[in-house]
Amino acid sequence: MERTGVYAFWSSKGFLTLVLFLVAGALLGSMLGSFLETENLTGILAYLCKTYEVFNLNDVMMNLGVLQFHFGLRIAPNLMSIIGLCIAAWLFNRF
């Protein structure tokens, strides 16, 4: 029986595998960008290591009396992590 529609999305490679590929690509690209950031770089390499803030949700506090939560979210990728995402998506599609 052939899967179609929504079921085709969860097919042989799987959605979880795609997410793992993308997370690994972003992490490897980010680590490479952080490593290169410690070096004295000039030209275009300096732009690959610079972080660009996309989203910033400052510290939000919720006090429930017994429990107290603090959380925040900051998304600030560098171009190396975006390149890592693209390479991971290409590898996932290729293999």
Side-chain angles (χ1 to χ4, degrees):
M1 184 167 157
E2 186 178 327
R3 293 183 173 193
T4 58
V6 175
Y7 297 109
F9 183 71
W10 300 94
S11 66
S12 63
K13 289 184 185 177
F15 179 71
L16 183 61
T17 308
L18 173 64
V19 170
L20 290 176
F21 263 75
L22 293 178
V23 167
L27 287 176
L28 289 173
S30 180
M31 288 190 306
L32 183 61
S34 296
F35 173 73
L36 291 175
E37 191 175 34
T38 61
E39 306 296 324
N40 290 333
L41 300 174
T42 59
I44 195 163
L45 288 177
Y47 291 107
L48 292 176
C49 301
K50 182 180 177 192
T51 59
Y52 299 94
E53 189 170 303
V54 177
F55 181 76
N56 188 9
L57 178 65
N58 290 328
D59 190 29
V60 176
M61 186 181 89
M62 186 184 330
N63 189 355
L64 300 175
V66 177
L67 295 173
Q68 189 175 28
F69 296 104
H70 291 271
F71 63 93
L73 178 65
R74 179 176 181 248
I75 300 174
N78 56 21
L79 288 179
M80 289 300 293
S81 63
I82 295 172
I83 291 171
L85 275 172
C86 293
I87 291 172
W90 178 77
L91 285 173
F92 178 79
N93 194 23
R94 179 95 169 127
F95 300 108

